[in-house]
Structures are given as C-alpha cells and as structure tokens.
Amino acid sequence: IEGAQLDNNKMENQLKLIIRDRKNAMFKKTQAGADIGDVLTSLIATCADAGVNALDYLTVLQRYSDKLRLNPELYLPWNYKSQSPD
C-alpha cells in the first residue's frame, strides 16, 4: 500500500508489554492476583496511549467511584479529566 508505514515499533512495544505481563503473572500467588495484575497493566497501558497520568487517573476512579458506577463511559482515560472537579 502506497504511503504505508514500514516499521511496526508501536505494535512490537505493545506485544512486549503483554509478554512481560504474562511472564510476571507466574509469580502471583493466586489466579485472582494475576487477573488483577492484567487489568491494572491494561489500564496503565491505555493511560499511556491516551497521554494520561495513570496514578492521577486511578486516584480519580477511586475518589469518584459513586459517579463512575452511574456513568462509566465518562471516566474512560480519554474522558475523565472533563468529569473531575479537581
């Protein structure tokens, strides 16, 4: 395809994240711990792609958990800054 990118660094970096998480999951004590680690890794990677500070984002999710339950789509990483009064 004319004009298509010749490198795939972004995809390779995303695959490395998944592979590293799978390797690290072997050291979790339980399946539930590994599952939680997967969710947090996914959230942090999504925040990085959206240009959002992951720690700030996770703090807002906890602080406004009642509002989050009512309208979860408003608290996606790329939407949440417009929702929090801070």
Side-chain angles (χ1 to χ4, degrees):
I1 299 174
E2 186 176 336
Q5 263 188 314
L6 296 178
D7 68 55
N8 61 351
N9 289 338
K10 186 171 182 175
M11 180 56 72
E12 287 179 8
N13 288 335
Q14 289 176 340
L15 286 173
K16 286 179 186 178
L17 179 68
I18 294 167
I19 291 166
R20 188 173 52 241
D21 184 53
R22 185 185 318 149
K23 181 186 74 159
N24 291 339
M26 294 187 316
F27 301 103
K28 303 286 196 264
K29 290 184 178 182
T30 64
Q31 180 64 45
D35 291 343
I36 291 168
D38 290 344
V39 170
L40 289 175
T41 299
S42 177
L43 275 172
I44 292 168
T46 302
C47 286
D49 284 347
V52 171
N53 182 309
L55 180 61
D56 292 342
Y57 175 68
L58 293 171
T59 301
V60 166
L61 292 185
Q62 288 185 342
R63 186 174 292 154
Y64 302 107
S65 61
D66 294 337
K67 293 179 183 179
L68 169 69
R69 285 186 189 96
L70 296 174
N71 294 304
E73 67 279 356
L74 298 179
Y75 288 89
L76 295 170
W78 47 89
N79 293 337
Y80 89 99
K81 283 194 179 234
S82 63
Q83 300 306 313
S84 60
D86 294 343

